[in-house]
Amino acid sequence: MMPDLTGKVVVITGASRGIGAALAEDFAARGMRLGLCSRGAPVLENGEDVLAARVDVRDEEAVEAFAAAVEERFGAIDLWINNAGVLDPIKPLRDLSLDEFRGHLEINLIGLFLGTRAYVHHLRRRGGEGVLINISSGAAWRGYAGWAAYCSGKGAVDRLSECVQLEEEGTGLRVY
């Protein structure tokens, strides 16, 4: 049985397509209030229960400003989902440039770090409970040829999430 989510507030990064778009549509149907951001246009437009914005998760100021805008509009954020991510580049490490590797990690790891930190600051400021979901992958557990950037980034996501859970133990934050 699903809990009643009516009126709960969720932030979803990477809410323009794929998992993020599907989550946004499902949560909207369940009556949640949504803070949706992505580099492209989020799947849902601004409305009474939706704050949608183009935000590059690599931009520290933009992520902080978006978190503040969601809080100002809807109040306490109950759930934060760091979903923004890319798969590319897919190529052997020997052919991977530093700029390609760095660019990948700036979205998949640094962007997630910025979202996680914004949410932890939000919860500490307002008190109360919250749930943080950092989208990872089975690629965090084993390597795949050509996926050096993706696998290493997702492994780092898992360890970062584990550290935050330990650091925030007892504050009411649950990290998945």
Side-chain angles (χ1 to χ4, degrees), residues 9-11 67 70-71 75-80 119 122-123 126 129:
V9 178
V10 60
V11 168
V70 173
E71 180 178 7
I77 301 168
D78 301 293
L79 170 62
W80 186 291
Y119 189 50
H122 167 78
L123 288 179
R126 74 162 179 89
E129 296 184 353

Side-chain angles (χ1 to χ4, degrees), residues 25-176:
E25 290 171 337
D26 184 65
F27 288 156
R30 294 174 187 274
M32 293 185 80
R33 294 179 291 165
L34 311 172
L36 306 177
C37 68
S38 52
R39 286 187 294 171
V43 66
L44 301 174
E45 295 180 3
N46 281 310
E48 184 178 338
D49 292 326
V50 178
L51 176 62
R54 289 180 183 242
V55 174
D56 186 334
V57 295
R58 298 172 292 184
D59 182 336
E60 180 177 13
E61 290 179 10
V63 171
E64 291 288 338
F66 184 70
V70 173
E71 180 178 7
E72 183 177 321
R73 173 110 178 252
F74 299 127
I77 301 168
D78 301 293
L79 170 62
W80 186 291
I81 301 174
N82 283 310
N83 171 68
V86 296
L87 183 57
D88 289 330
I90 300 174
K91 58 174 77 171
L93 182 103
R94 67 183 170 274
D95 298 329
L96 193 60
S97 74
L98 176 58
D99 285 343
E100 289 172 316
F101 189 76
R102 182 178 284 135
H104 178 94
L105 292 179
E106 284 176 356
I107 295 170
N108 285 24
L109 182 58
I110 301 302
L112 182 134
F113 159 79
L114 292 172
T116 296
R117 189 179 65 183
Y119 189 50
V120 167
H121 286 166
H122 167 78
L123 288 179
R124 287 214 166 236
R125 186 176 54 259
R126 74 162 179 89
E129 296 184 353
V131 176
L132 171 67
I133 298 175
N134 288 329
I135 302 296
S136 187
S137 164
W141 307 323
R142 65 175 303 237
Y144 296 94
W147 288 28
Y150 190 78
C151 292
S152 59
K154 290 302 182 180
V157 164
D158 285 359
R159 295 299 68 77
L160 185 145
S161 300
E162 193 174 53
C163 289
V164 171
Q165 179 65 64
L166 292 168
E167 292 168 358
E168 300 302 316
E169 192 172 35
T171 66
L173 175 63
R174 296 184 314 262
V175 181
Y176 301 98

